[in-house]
Amino acid sequence: ELQLLESGGGLVQPGGSLRLSCAASGFTFSSYDISWVRQAPGRGLEWVSGVSGSGASTYYADSVKGRFTISRDKSKKTVYLQMNSLRAEDTAVYYCAKLDGSWGYLYFDYWGRGTPVTVSS
Amino acid sequence: EIVMTQSPATLSVSPGERATLSCRASQSVSSNLAWYQQKPGQALRLLIYGASTRATGIPGRFSGSGSGTDFTLTISSLQSEDFAVYYCLQYDKWPPFTFGPGTKVDSK
């Protein structure tokens, strides 16, 4: 069964750092892009960052560029999101999602249940 | 960045009735449009991709249509388990991927 399990969320002060993890199972890890998508309380979905299956390509939303770093570890089948210089507006539930599709047209086909991040003093 | 809008924000429907949800893109996304269902405490579920292709295991009462800038998700006969929030996603031009703001389907 395909699974994505996020962890690492919590309460952090403004300006602080946090590293989220997404542990994957049930599929060929290196063959698929993975993204992080967040949802602020009572709000919609916002794509945050993505990494290609090989890890060679990474992508970021403008709102997190320069502060967040995405990476993946093939041996651990885990994708990470290192979040630095956190702001109150980064408060959200963070989901990891697997992508599928072809010819560069990729959509999210499986999602984890999310890990909450609260940035507050 | 492609901006996605959805209407209505809330749709009140009785079980057994038909529900029609709309999604519009600020520019053409061809058929690179997906629909998702979100329920509290559950992982988001992919319903439709390619504007009209049902994902694995999705019941036949869910159907998608449209291309270019205007899309529709139809639930032909709403079941109690279909009360949820529905989001559309464009994946034609990314990054960034962009979602609509969602339509909440609740009980009339």
Side-chain angles (χ1 to χ4, degrees), chain A residues 33 35 37 39 43-47 50 59-62 95 99-100 104-113, chain B residues 1 32 34 36 38 41-46 49-50 56 87 89 91-101:
Chain A
D33 290 25
S35 272
V37 176
Q39 186 170 36
R43 306 292 296 274
L45 300 165
E46 179 190 17
W47 175 81
Y59 311 93
Y60 299 94
D62 287 346
Y95 301 98
L99 286 95
D100 199 359
Y105 298 109
L106 307 180
Y107 53 90
F108 309 109
D109 62 341
Y110 286 95
W111 299 68
R113 292 180 178 243
Chain B
E1 174 177 325
N32 297 308
Y36 297 87
Q38 185 177 40
Q42 296 186 17
L44 276 96
R45 182 166 71 148
L46 171 67
Y49 63 94
T56 303
Y87 294 95
L89 162 78
Y91 55 95
D92 189 69
K93 295 176 181 64
W94 64 272
F97 294 95
T98 49
F99 294 88

Side-chain angles (χ1 to χ4, degrees), chain B residues 11-21 37 61-62 73-84 86 105-108:
Chain B
L11 184 62
S12 297
V13 185
S14 297
E17 289 186 339
R18 184 184 194 90
T20 303
L21 290 68
Q37 179 190 66
R61 63 181 181 273
F62 290 92
L73 174 70
T74 302
I75 311 172
S76 60
S77 178
L78 199 87
Q79 305 298 300
S80 57
E81 61 265 31
D82 300 335
F83 293 118
Y86 293 83
V105 177
D106 66 14
S107 180
K108 186 187 289 184

